[in-house]
Amino acid sequence: MDDSHAVVVGAGIGGLSAALALHRRGWRVTVLERAAQAREVGAGLTLMANALRGLDALGLGPAVRRGGHAEAPGGIRDRHGRWLSQVDGAEMTRQLGTTALGVHRTTLHRILREALPASVLRTSADVEHVESDPDHAEVRYRGTDGPHTLTADLVVGADGLRSRVRAQLWPRHPGPAYAGSTTWRAAIAFPEPVPTAISWGPGAEFGMVPIGDGQLYWFGALNAPPGGHAPDELAALRERFGDWHAPIPALLAATPPGVVLRNDIHHLAVPLPSYVRGRVALLGDAAHAMTPNLGQGAGQAIEDAVVLGAVCVGGAEGVPAALAAYDEQRRPRSQAIARASVTAGRYGQQLRNPLAVAVRDTALRLTPARAALRGMARYADWRPPAG
C-alpha cells in the first residue's frame, strides 16, 4: 500500500480500536488526544459477543479475555433480590459462541494502546479545525509547542459524546440530549463471588459486574433532573440503595470514599443522517452516543472500528467508496441499537409507576429464559467482515 495517512481524533476505546484496525491494514496513523495523558476515565464495562469478536478481529481477543472475567450466570432481580429473569451461561455460549466478559475500562484501554506503536499517539493535542474535500482532509490542532497542521487521506472523529468534529462538520445537529437519568459508578476490590446482575426498583437500578483479579464494577442509576450532585455521593447512594438486597449494602460499604464517579446520561436523541462528510468519518459516541441500558456503547465503537478498517483496505484512493460502504453498514445497525437501548431504559430502570412495574416484573418472570436470551442475542450476534 502507498503511504496512506489517517488521523484519528480521540484516544478512547473507539479511537484506539480504529487506529489499530487501520494500522493492521497498512495505514500510517496519527492519533490526536486532547488530554495530557491517554487514559480511559470510568470503572468497568461488559463486552458482549459482538465486542469480543471485534477484538478477536483486531488480534486482541486472548489478551482481553485474560484481563477480564467471564461472566457467571446472572440476570435481572427486583430490589428485594427475587429473580425476574436469569441468564443460562451455557445457553448463551451455545447461541453466541461465547459468554460475556466483564473488564475494567483501563485494562481494555491499556491493551489497545500497547498494541500500537508509541509514535502513533500525540497527547495534549487540542483539535481546533477539520476540513475535507474529495481529495484530502486537513486537521489543525494546538499542542504544547504551538499550532500544527496535518494533511490526511482519512480523518476519524472518535472524540466522544461532545465531539468537536461532529459539531463542526454537522453544525445543524442539535448534539447530545439528557436521557432523564443520572448514574454512579465505581470499581472496587471485592473478592467474594458475585453474579453479573441488574436489580430494578421504581425509577432506579443497581448493577454489579465482576471484572477479574478480585475486582468488581458496580453502578447505580436513578431518574433525576440533570446537573445534580451531593456533597458526599457515596453517602447519598447508601441512603438510596442501603436497604436493597445483598450484596448491594456490602458493595457500598467496601467502596472507598472518593472513587465514586457520577455522570448524567446523555445520548444522541436525533440520529445523524450520515456518519461521513467527505474524507471524515465519525465513530463511536461521536456518531451514535447511546444510553447504557443494553451495554452496547463500547461494543458498537469496536464494531465501527473493525468495519472501518475492513472497508479501507484499498488505501487512500479508495476512501470515498470505502466511507460510503462504512456508512451503509454501520449507521442502520448502530442507530437501531441506540433506539432499542432507550426503549430498554424506559421499561427498565426508568419505569416507576407501581402498577406498570408489577406488570413488567410479572411478564419477565413468565418469559422463558431461552426466549429472553434470544431477545438479547439479536444485538450481540454480529460477526466482523470477512478478510
Side-chain angles (χ1 to χ4, degrees):
M1 185 184 290
D2 58 3
D3 190 30
S4 302
H5 181 213
V7 174
V8 178
V9 182
I13 289 171
L16 293 181
S17 296
L20 181 58
L22 292 165
H23 175 71
R24 287 169 58 89
R25 299 287 183 169
W27 284 73
R28 179 168 60 92
V29 182
T30 303
V31 179
L32 302 177
E33 170 54 43
R34 185 180 183 184
Q37 290 184 320
R39 61 188 182 91
E40 184 70 14
V41 177
L45 53 83
T46 296
L47 298 175
M48 304 294 187
N50 55 313
L52 291 171
R53 289 196 183 100
L55 291 165
D56 285 336
L58 296 176
L60 300 182
V64 174
R65 288 179 175 88
R66 287 194 299 271
H69 182 276
E71 293 191 357
I76 301 172
R77 294 185 276 200
D78 67 16
R79 64 188 299 271
H80 304 291
R82 294 175 297 215
W83 287 102
L84 304 176
S85 178
Q86 289 186 269
V87 175
D88 185 324
E91 181 64 18
M92 176 185 283
T93 301
R94 191 190 70 78
Q95 286 195 30
L96 297 174
T98 180
T99 187
L101 187 85
V103 65
H104 202 295
R105 283 182 176 271
T106 57
T107 299
L108 177 58
H109 192 269
R110 173 184 54 79
I111 291 170
L112 286 163
R113 191 174 65 248
E114 291 177 352
L116 287 162
S119 59
V120 162
L121 181 61
R122 300 185 189 181
T123 55
S124 298
D126 191 6
V127 171
E128 298 178 330
H129 185 76
V130 177
E131 62 182 49
S132 174
D133 60 38
D135 299 319
H136 77 287
E138 187 175 274
V139 179
R140 296 202 293 270
Y141 74 95
R142 183 169 295 276
T144 55
D145 56 348
H148 298 265
T149 300
L150 294 175
T151 300
D153 302 295
L154 168 66
V155 174
V156 181
D159 50 340
L161 173 72
R162 304 192 185 280
S163 168
R164 287 188 178 181
V165 177
R166 183 186 66 237
Q168 187 176 119
L169 297 183
W170 284 260
R172 296 185 179 181
H173 189 271
Y178 183 53
S181 301
T182 192
T183 185
W184 294 261
R185 298 168 291 154
I188 63 170
F190 200 81
E192 299 176 26
V194 171
T196 296
I198 294 174
S199 300
W200 283 339
E205 74 176 10
F206 195 99
M208 56 198 75
V209 181
I211 55 176
D213 196 27
Q215 298 282 304
L216 181 137
Y217 160 53
W218 63 253
F219 59 91
L222 294 173
N223 296 349
H229 70 278
D232 185 335
E233 298 289 3
L234 184 55
L237 279 169
R238 287 172 176 160
E239 182 177 351
R240 183 62 180 80
F241 293 101
D243 63 347
W244 284 36
H245 67 82
I248 293 172
L251 298 180
L252 296 175
T255 301
V259 305
V260 177
L261 302 172
R262 177 174 179 171
N263 299 99
D264 289 339
I265 297 174
H266 289 80
H267 66 135
L268 292 190
V270 177
L272 286 163
S274 173
Y275 292 170
V276 173
R277 282 281 189 275
R279 287 178 173 257
V280 178
L282 296 180
L283 178 148
D285 281 354
H288 47 68
M290 60 188 66
T291 65
N293 304 94
L294 291 179
Q296 278 290 339
Q300 290 307 296
I302 292 166
E303 285 187 24
D304 290 345
V306 171
V307 170
L308 184 66
V311 298
C312 288
V313 67
E317 290 186 3
V319 165
L323 294 190
Y326 168 77
D327 188 59
E328 181 180 5
Q329 292 181 45
R330 292 304 307 147
R331 189 158 45 88
R333 172 169 163 80
S334 58
Q335 290 181 348
I337 289 176
R339 290 191 299 271
S341 190
V342 170
T343 301
R346 287 174 180 164
Y347 289 95
Q349 178 264 307
Q350 293 185 327
L351 197 65
R352 58 186 305 170
N353 179 279
L355 179 59
V357 168
V359 170
R360 177 202 64 194
D361 291 357
T362 299
L364 280 172
R365 281 195 293 266
L366 294 177
T367 301
R370 183 170 294 185
L373 184 57
R374 280 199 302 270
M376 183 177 67
R378 71 177 185 268
Y379 306 116
D381 191 11
W382 172 88
R383 287 166 174 77

